[in-house]
Amino acid sequence: LTAGSSPLGSGSASRGIFVSLEGIEGAGKTSQLLRLAERLRGLGREPVVVREPGGTPVAEAARQLILHAPHDLSAASELFLFLTARADLVERVIRPALESGQVVLADRFELSTRCYQAAGRGLDLARVEGAIALATGGLQPDLYVVLDIPVEAGQARQAAEGKAPDKIERADPGFHRRVAEAFRNAAAPNILHLSADRAFGAVHDELWDALAGRFPLTFSGVAG
Ligand code: T5A
C-alpha cells in the first residue's frame, strides 16, 4: 500500500510527503490536522491541508450532495460521488502539491472509502478498490494515521459540539460498528494506529513524534 505499489503502478512518484489522518467521526482528525499544520508553519514549512470530501468547487458540490442533500443515495451513487470529489482533488490539488515538494495533510483519503463504502455499506471491496484506483491514478499516502476511538466516545464528542448530524452520521448503529471495526483492523506498511481516546495534547505529541520518526527532515525542530 505504499506509494508506487498501487494496482495501476503509478504511485505518488513525488518529492513531497502525503499524510492522511483517518478514523471514525469524532476521533479528532480535524483538530489534530490543524495543530500539525500550525506546528509545521512554526518550522517555516507551508503544508497543504485538504479535507475529504471537499477542497475544490466540484468536490465541495459533491460533499453537499453526499452529506446534506435531501435525496436518498444508493451505496453505489454515494461511492461515485466520493470518487468524483477525490479525482478532482487529486488532479487539481494533491498531485501538483506533491510534485512541487510540499507536505500534504489530508483529513481522510481512500482508507475511508474502504471502511465506509465497502465495510459499512457492504459494497464489494475489490470492486471499490478498483474504482478508487481509477479515481486516484493509484496515488497512496506515504502514511495513514488511524486515530482509534470507541464509537460511543467519538459520538459523545460530536454531541458535545451540538451540530446537526449529517446523512452519514445518521446511519444506523450497525453501519457505524462495521466502519469502526474496519478501521480497527486496517493493516498495511503505511498504516499506523494511535489511540485517540486520550487528552488532545497526548495524542498530538505521539502523532508528531511518529511523523518526526518517519520524516525527520520535515517534522524536525530545524526551520527551513
Ligand atoms: N466518508 C468520507 C465516507 O463515507 N467515505 C469517504 O471516502 C470519505 C472521504 C465526512 C463524512 O464522510 C464519510 C465519513 C464522514 O462521515 P466530515 O464532517 O468531513 O464528514 O468528517 P468527520 O470525520 O465526520 O468529522 P468530525 O468533525 O466528526 O470528526 P473529527 O475530525 O475526527 O473530529 P474533530 O477534530 O472535529 O473533533 C470533534 C470534537 O472533539 C473534540 C474537538 O474539539 C471537537 O469538538 N476533540 C477532543 N475532545 C477531547 N479529547 C480529545 N483528544 C479531542 N480531540 C478532539
Side-chain angles (χ1 to χ4, degrees):
L1 279 176
T2 47
S5 69
S6 71
L8 296 186
S10 52
S12 70
S14 65
R15 290 177 288 126
I17 294 171
F18 182 13
V19 175
S20 175
L21 297 194
E22 293 277 355
I24 62 169
E25 292 88 355
K29 299 174 297 298
T30 309
S31 325
Q32 291 293 345
L33 209 66
L34 294 176
R35 179 73 188 102
L36 278 182
E38 186 182 87
R39 203 162 158 187
L40 277 175
R41 285 187 202 107
L43 293 175
R45 327 261 191 257
E46 193 44 59
V48 172
V49 180
V50 295
R51 69 163 179 186
E52 276 230 80
T56 69
V58 166
E60 290 294 335
R63 179 185 182 89
Q64 184 63 24
L65 278 173
I66 296 166
L67 297 179
H68 304 296
H71 330 287
D72 282 335
L73 291 172
S74 70
S77 303
E78 182 184 81
L79 168 71
F80 284 110
L81 283 171
F82 275 117
L83 296 186
T84 298
R86 183 163 307 139
D88 204 53
L89 183 69
V90 165
E91 185 187 329
R92 293 179 193 282
V93 179
I94 299 180
R95 226 181 249 288
L98 292 174
E99 282 167 2
S100 69
Q102 285 179 282
V103 179
V104 176
L105 300 175
D107 195 337
R108 301 186 180 277
F109 198 62
E110 56 100 12
L111 182 56
S112 279
T113 315
R114 289 193 258 151
C115 294
Y116 284 87
Q117 279 61 56
R121 298 288 192 217
L123 293 174
D124 179 74
L125 178 60
R127 289 182 177 201
V128 168
E129 287 177 340
I132 291 171
L134 260 182
T136 61
L139 179 70
Q140 284 279 339
D142 297 294
L143 187 66
Y144 278 116
V145 182
V146 181
L147 299 181
D148 289 319
I149 188 168
V151 174
E152 301 70 29
Q155 287 174 343
R157 285 182 186 174
Q158 284 188 304
E161 287 186 300
K163 284 193 262 173
D166 62 42
K167 278 201 285 188
I168 292 186
E169 287 161 359
R170 291 198 300 271
D172 64 88
F175 170 82
H176 289 289
R177 272 197 305 276
R178 290 191 296 279
V179 171
E181 191 185 355
F183 274 122
R184 239 187 343 268
N185 294 334
N190 68 338
I191 297 178
L192 171 76
H193 287 263
L194 279 191
S195 167
D197 196 9
R198 299 178 285 160
F200 180 85
V203 179
H204 174 73
D205 288 346
E206 200 176 324
L207 176 57
W208 182 269
D209 289 349
L211 294 171
R214 279 169 180 74
F215 312 109
L217 291 179
T218 300
F219 293 84
S220 75
V222 185

